[in-house]
Amino acid sequence: MNEKGNLSINSENFLPIIKKWLYTDKDIFIRELVSNACDAVTKLKKLMIMGEADHIPADESFSVHVVLNKDEKIMQIVDNGIGMTDEEIKKYINQIAFSGATDFLSKYEEKADGDNEIIGHFGLGFYSAFMVADKVEIDTLSYLPDAAAAKWSCADGIDYEMADGTRTERGTTITLHVSEDGEEFLDESKMYEALQKYCAFMPVPIFIDVITNDEEKVEKAEPEKKDNTIHISQEEAATLTKDEILAKANKDKAEETESAEGSEKEEEKEEEPKPLNDPSPLWLKQPKDCTDEEYKAFYHKVFFDLNDPLFWIHLNMDYPFRLKGILYFPKLVEQMDVVEGQIKLYSNQVYIADNIKEVVPEFLLLLKGVLDCPDMPLNVSRSALQNDGYVEKMNSYITKKVADKLNQLFKADRTAYEGFWDDIGMFFKYGCMREEKLYDKIKDALLLKTTDGVYETVAEYLEKNKEKHENKIFFVTDEAQQAQYIRMFKEQGLEAAILTSPVDKPFVSFLEYKNPGVKVQRIDADITDTLQEKTEGEESEAKKQADAFANTQMENLFRGVLGNENLKVKAENLKAQNVSAMILLSEESRRMMEMMEAYGDNEMYKAMFAQVKPDETLVLNKSNKLVQFLMDAAGKEDKKEDCDMICHQVYDLALMSHRTLTSEEMTAFIDRSNQILEKLAELEK
């Protein structure tokens, strides 16, 4: 059989289009060719199960070999699967519009019970070989009895030749005459890397074979000389007859021989090559058949994380869509780990890509895991997936499974659940903001860690503190900087939620949105009634006037000393006498400041933010001796120097508990502190 012709391609400049389409992932050709080889084996196995290939032994061993010959610049992908006839080559290779896998499924749909496990499309994917090869050959022999081997070759991607093949065993060999652009893939380590990336879990054992032209010199070792001497103790010689001694010697030799043969077999067994892939990955097993050790081992192997995962979710859905996989919740070594998730997407054990947000719910991209979607095409069109009903159902299913797992853990062991909340809290807060339906499902399991060191749900926090500040949630964003406020809270039996991560900034507004009537504000946004000394009975008019005068007097004093005419100042009686002053910034103003930080470089927002002024109030504690000194000394000329110095110091002390001082402010604070210490030292003289 000899035949020449042109491929039935309906696109102009076919190969340049393929190369441009796959240019950024040139190594993808190995996925296409090896998945085709695995398909060939899978097809044959199905035919054997269906009784369509009775002449093939039931215990047949199947495999795919990637053969590298760097010296000859040749690469081969060899399988012992279904093979092809010359007519099938014409249909599936020469007429690229057809798909061998699709046609196979259509033909055996009823007998296969609709079980679609053919991972490749032998046609378009095959032509990715020309990304790294100048010439491609197919040598194949069909499984059909009395089939003739067929050979196909193509040197330019358009003109082909067909002839009788030379293959004598069932299966297919794809030979790539590697071009200069593809020589890197002839390196064993580079090929291993590509196969691990795309084929680590393909359903057929895969091996790499390396061929070199250098003849290996193998020196045969001389046979080991046997020691014919019989070793026996004196005690045994005195008690045993000659026949008994010979019998014992023969027995000992037999045992030694058996032991030696066993060792040789063991060595041979250990030297048997192992496939580089795992044909039966853990996610294909039923969850009930998997142990914790297996889940952890799989996690370490796939994600190279030495830490054990906190917990995991095993997905196993067959209807109304097929989805299998395992999602892991990793332990966070540091906060930045939360943005380094990795969800690997597979289709029938063939790797597609990492973190495809059109397929995987966005909040899940912070996790680590594998998802196997058999109905997903290998070449994912992201634009087509955005409005895909299958993807939407899959997202809803995954979200529900995640929520169910969280609620299950919360109810089963609250103590253990609280133990890893610090690791998963950021993830679920982000997830709730991205997927409101997730919040609705897990709102009763969302925890707030408080300054008392306890974990409470929103409902528990509100109930516990309703008598002290009803329908309010106070929080801190920096425990060190806001230590003064925290101490005041603790002294009065109050607590605040600790919300220090970047995701907590928008989460505060989200909590208010999802809990109408509840105000969520930072600990320095307001003074609760509990922190103030309550006046017994109704205040007299004279007392009110005196307080108003004192407030005005202090405001004028601080405005003048600090040179800030817009500063708001008021005096209050606080229970914490050692606190001289506090700075309050309204929650609304604080959130606006955060927006300015986030979007201040955006031209559209600059004009709007230019009009925004911080709504800060300096609260002086009338119960503090420093403030009492200022109130007595205000307006007295002989006390002016001391008043000015103390005003600055009181304001900076309040400012330090509110925000970080600038370098200029810190320098002035240190210089002033030294002056105050010098004055104290002089008084002691």
Side-chain angles (χ1 to χ4, degrees):
M1 175 190 70
N2 288 287
E3 179 179 323
K4 295 183 179 180
N6 299 110
L7 301 176
S8 301
I9 303 172
N10 297 322
S11 300
E12 207 172 5
N13 299 321
F14 173 71
L15 287 181
I17 293 174
I18 289 292
K19 289 188 177 184
K20 182 179 180 181
W21 173 53
L22 298 174
Y23 178 75
T24 55
D25 295 308
K26 187 162 64 174
D27 59 354
I28 206 169
F29 82 93
I30 198 65
R31 181 191 77 175
E32 299 297 325
L33 298 181
V34 174
S35 66
N36 285 339
C38 290
D39 273 354
V41 172
T42 303
K43 291 175 182 178
L44 185 58
K45 286 183 177 180
K46 286 187 172 296
L47 292 175
M48 292 169 64
I49 293 172
M50 294 184 293
E52 298 283 337
D54 294 336
H55 57 288
I56 297 175
D59 60 350
E60 181 82 1
S61 177
F62 294 99
S63 62
V64 173
H65 288 257
V66 178
V67 184
L68 304 177
N69 189 332
K70 198 170 187 177
D71 296 323
E72 299 293 335
K73 295 185 179 180
I74 287 176
M75 179 190 306
Q76 293 179 312
I77 291 83
V78 185
D79 69 71
N80 58 342
I82 195 171
M84 289 186 289
T85 64
D86 59 342
E87 291 300 320
E88 287 171 329
I89 291 178
K90 293 176 183 178
K91 181 176 182 181
Y92 300 140
I93 302 300
N94 296 347
Q95 300 178 39
I96 293 175
F98 289 95
S99 165
T102 302
D103 186 63
F104 178 85
L105 285 173
S106 175
K107 182 177 180 181
Y108 293 100
E109 185 173 8
E110 293 182 4
K111 292 185 179 181
D113 295 323
D115 187 11
N116 179 2
E117 293 183 2
I118 309 305
I119 53 181
H121 296 279
F122 207 105
L124 184 60
F126 164 76
Y127 279 89
S128 63
F130 284 97
M131 297 176 63
V132 296
D134 294 323
K135 180 180 180 181
V136 178
E137 297 174 335
I138 302 175
D139 200 0
T140 182
L141 178 62
S142 173
Y143 79 102
L144 294 172
D146 302 324
K151 185 169 185 178
W152 177 96
S153 63
C154 181
D156 56 9
I158 300 296
D159 298 312
Y160 69 86
E161 293 185 12
M162 288 187 67
D164 294 333
T166 58
R167 185 168 176 128
T168 58
E169 296 181 353
R170 178 201 69 250
T172 301
T173 298
I174 308 293
T175 301
L176 280 64
H177 296 266
V178 179
S179 62
E180 185 177 346
D181 290 343
E183 287 184 14
E184 60 180 310
F185 294 103
L186 290 172
D187 183 77
E188 183 180 2
S189 60
K190 181 68 175 179
M191 177 54 64
Y192 182 83
E193 178 185 337
L195 288 170
Q196 281 295 328
K197 175 181 178 181
Y198 292 110
C199 312
F201 300 106
M202 284 189 182
V204 180
I206 301 169
F207 301 88
I208 295 179
D209 300 335
V210 179
I211 297 176
T212 61
N213 289 337
D214 297 331
E215 293 184 5
E216 294 183 4
K217 296 181 180 179
V218 181
E219 295 183 1
K220 294 184 179 180
E222 292 184 9
E224 185 181 348
K225 294 182 179 179
K226 301 296 182 182
D227 187 358
N228 295 320
T229 305
I230 301 172
H231 296 278
I232 190 168
S233 67
Q234 290 181 356
E235 291 81 1
E236 289 178 319
T239 57
L240 297 177
T241 66
K242 182 178 179 182
D243 291 339
E244 288 175 331
I245 292 175
L246 290 173
K248 181 180 185 304
N250 290 331
K251 179 182 178 183
D252 290 344
K253 285 187 177 181
E255 289 177 351
E256 288 176 5
T257 302
E258 183 178 352
S259 175
E261 289 176 350
S263 298
E264 290 177 4
K265 289 180 179 179
E266 186 66 27
E267 289 178 6
E268 289 177 5
K269 184 178 181 182
E270 291 177 356
E271 291 174 1
E272 287 181 3
K274 295 181 179 179
L276 60 86
N277 62 320
D278 179 3
S280 302
L282 192 63
W283 73 74
L284 295 182
K285 295 175 66 174
Q286 291 295 321
K288 63 181 177 61
D289 298 328
C290 303
T291 65
D292 289 355
E293 289 69 26
E294 286 178 318
Y295 282 118
K296 291 176 183 178
F298 184 78
Y299 175 79
H300 296 316
K301 173 185 174 183
V302 175
F303 300 105
F304 307 104
D305 190 343
L306 297 179
N307 296 301
D308 285 341
L310 297 170
F311 60 93
W312 47 84
I313 302 173
H314 195 144
L315 305 171
N316 190 6
M317 169 68 77
D318 289 317
Y319 182 83
F321 54 86
R322 294 183 300 157
L323 172 68
K324 297 182 187 296
I326 306 172
L327 296 177
Y328 288 96
F329 288 73
K331 181 175 180 57
L332 301 183
V333 178
E334 56 185 54
Q335 284 192 355
M336 287 307 294
D337 286 351
V338 78
V339 299
E340 296 179 356
Q342 185 182 28
I343 301 293
K344 293 179 173 291
L345 186 65
Y346 292 81
S347 176
N348 270 322
Q349 301 169 241
V350 182
Y351 173 78
I352 297 178
D354 285 353
N355 298 348
I356 299 183
K357 64 182 181 180
E358 289 83 1
V359 175
V360 182
E362 186 176 357
F363 72 93
L364 284 183
L365 299 181
L366 303 179
L367 295 182
K368 294 181 180 179
V370 292
L371 295 176
D372 195 338
C373 315
D375 302 319
M376 193 72 64
L378 286 184
N379 298 317
V380 178
S381 170
R382 292 188 164 183
S383 59
L385 291 172
Q386 289 175 348
N387 299 310
D388 189 279
Y390 164 74
V391 172
E392 186 177 347
K393 290 178 182 177
M394 186 175 73
N395 285 350
S396 297
Y397 167 74
I398 295 174
T399 300
K400 180 181 182 302
K401 293 294 289 186
V402 170
D404 290 345
K405 181 68 174 184
L406 193 72
N407 288 323
Q408 173 196 339
L409 292 170
F410 176 73
K411 294 174 182 176
D413 190 342
R414 173 76 178 257
T415 302
Y417 181 81
E418 291 177 358
F420 53 67
W421 177 255
D422 289 346
D423 289 285
I424 66 173
M426 281 190 290
F427 163 78
F428 278 107
K429 290 171 187 175
Y430 177 76
C432 287
M433 289 186 287
R434 298 302 303 175
E435 300 276 344
E436 282 193 41
K437 56 188 176 184
L438 176 65
Y439 174 83
D440 296 335
K441 289 180 171 66
I442 67 169
K443 60 182 179 181
D444 294 330
L446 281 175
L447 296 181
L448 299 173
K449 183 180 180 180
T450 75
T451 48
D452 285 345
V454 299
Y455 293 85
E456 299 166 345
T457 65
V458 171
E460 289 169 346
Y461 178 95
L462 292 172
E463 178 63 26
K464 182 178 177 180
N465 297 281
K466 67 179 181 181
E467 294 183 3
K468 299 167 184 175
H469 45 79
E470 187 173 7
N471 287 332
K472 280 186 180 180
I473 297 176
F474 285 98
F475 67 94
V476 298
T477 57
D478 188 321
E479 292 177 84
Q481 190 174 77
Q482 294 151 19
Q484 175 177 285
Y485 297 91
I486 295 173
R487 186 186 66 192
M488 292 173 62
F489 259 53
K490 286 187 175 182
E491 287 174 350
Q492 305 307 319
L494 299 173
E495 63 179 352
I498 301 173
L499 301 176
T500 57
S501 71
V503 78
D504 285 321
K505 289 184 178 180
F507 185 67
V508 166
S509 300
F510 179 79
L511 271 183
E512 281 189 338
Y513 161 64
K514 297 301 290 186
N515 294 273
V518 175
K519 291 190 67 176
V520 185
Q521 55 189 48
R522 201 166 78 173
I523 200 169
D524 57 357
D526 193 9
I527 299 177
T528 72
D529 294 338
T530 313
L531 297 180
Q532 302 180 51
E533 290 284 4
K534 295 182 180 178
T535 305
E536 296 294 334
E538 190 173 336
E539 290 185 348
S540 65
E541 189 63 32
K543 178 69 167 58
K544 291 179 180 178
Q545 289 180 0
D547 288 343
F549 175 76
N551 284 340
T552 302
Q553 186 184 41
M554 288 295 97
E555 187 169 80
N556 290 335
L557 173 65
F558 274 85
R559 283 181 174 181
V561 171
L562 300 175
N564 183 355
E565 290 300 318
N566 296 316
L567 180 67
K568 294 181 182 179
V569 180
K570 68 177 181 178
E572 299 281 358
N573 279 312
L574 302 180
K575 290 181 179 179
Q577 295 183 5
N578 58 341
V579 175
S580 58
M582 301 167 56
I583 288 181
L584 302 181
L585 178 64
S586 70
E587 187 66 20
E588 293 77 10
S589 182
R590 185 187 63 78
R591 294 184 192 179
M592 185 62 72
M593 295 298 104
E594 289 178 352
M595 287 182 62
M596 288 177 63
E597 291 178 9
Y599 302 105
D601 294 334
N602 189 305
E603 293 295 331
M604 186 174 68
Y605 291 106
K606 275 187 178 179
M608 179 182 72
F609 289 146
Q611 310 301 319
V612 177
K613 301 297 180 185
D615 184 18
E616 290 184 352
T617 301
L618 176 66
V619 178
L620 301 172
N621 182 9
K622 291 190 292 184
S623 301
N624 180 265
K625 291 183 179 180
L626 275 178
V627 176
Q628 290 172 358
F629 169 82
L630 290 174
M631 295 177 74
D632 292 337
K636 296 179 181 179
E637 192 62 32
D638 60 328
K639 301 289 185 181
K640 185 177 187 309
E641 182 180 350
D642 290 343
C643 273
D644 289 357
M645 188 177 296
I646 292 173
C647 279
H648 276 292
Q649 200 73 353
V650 166
Y651 180 75
D652 281 356
L653 286 170
L655 201 59
M656 289 172 70
S657 294
H658 179 69
R659 65 166 173 81
T660 303
L661 297 181
T662 65
S663 58
E664 293 82 3
E665 291 170 340
M666 180 58 74
T667 300
F669 176 78
I670 293 172
D671 290 344
R672 195 183 317 111
S673 297
N674 286 324
Q675 293 175 31
I676 292 172
L677 290 174
E678 288 173 4
K679 281 181 172 289
L680 288 173
E682 289 175 3
L683 290 174
E684 291 296 322
K685 289 181 179 180

